[in-house]
Amino acid sequence: GMVNLVLRRLVTTGSIKIVNLDRRKMKYLLTPKGLAEKYARSYHYLLRTIRTYKTYTTLMERLIDREIAKGHRKFMIHGGGDVTDLLAFIFHRKGDKIQYRLAEPGGAVTREPDEVVLHCGMDGHGPAEGISMLEAILEEHERSKKGDIDELV
């Protein structure tokens, strides 16, 4: 019922056209208007995704720069996924002065004495010491919305 309602609305607005192939089969075609709408939505989705990427990369870079300003030069990224990938990218851009290594989740984690652990998991089962990147990013984002730090992007 709901699908038919949506389809009728799309036909009414001129976004799709229905072609009857026989009594039981129909073909749904995007009209130029429907194609333009799909393009616009995809474009805006891509812009939001890029803006989100820039925002969180900036937040993570600020957190890392703060640790570097404290004199830390060795980091361990503990976890997997997108946050881990972004952190590795940020460290790679920092150059040879900063050392980092990846520690897969689930394995035994041995932290070196002068190493800062950046925990990237959502399960809360990371190393006892270190920075939870997700919590730190959320706190940093809240600070930026309150105006405590400069505009992000």
Side-chain angles (χ1 to χ4, degrees), residues 72-75 111-116:
H72 300 289
R73 297 288 180 263
K74 294 172 91 176
F75 297 86
R111 179 184 165 273
E112 295 180 19
D114 56 346
E115 190 173 52
V116 176

Side-chain angles (χ1 to χ4, degrees), residues 27-121:
K27 190 181 224 181
Y28 301 98
L29 304 170
L30 272 176
T31 63
K33 180 181 178 181
L35 190 59
E37 178 67 26
K38 184 168 178 58
Y39 171 80
R41 286 178 183 235
S42 297
Y43 176 75
H44 291 294
Y45 174 78
L46 181 61
L47 287 179
R48 281 193 314 274
T49 302
I50 291 169
R51 194 174 317 125
T52 300
Y53 166 80
K54 285 182 178 180
T55 298
Y56 288 104
T57 301
T58 301
L59 291 170
M60 286 189 265
E61 194 151 16
R62 284 182 181 173
L63 292 165
I64 291 166
D65 287 343
R66 239 186 266 135
E67 292 300 316
I68 292 171
K70 293 177 187 176
H72 300 289
R73 297 288 180 263
K74 294 172 91 176
F75 297 86
M76 177 178 61
I77 303 171
H78 181 262
D82 296 333
V83 175
T84 300
D85 295 340
L86 280 175
L87 281 171
F89 175 71
I90 291 167
F91 280 122
H92 181 73
R93 288 190 331 197
K94 295 282 181 197
D96 295 337
K97 295 177 186 173
I98 305 300
Q99 296 177 5
Y100 74 96
R101 65 185 176 106
L102 300 174
E104 292 296 322
V109 178
T110 305
R111 179 184 165 273
E112 295 180 19
D114 56 346
E115 190 173 52
V116 176
V117 178
L118 304 172
H119 177 58
C120 300

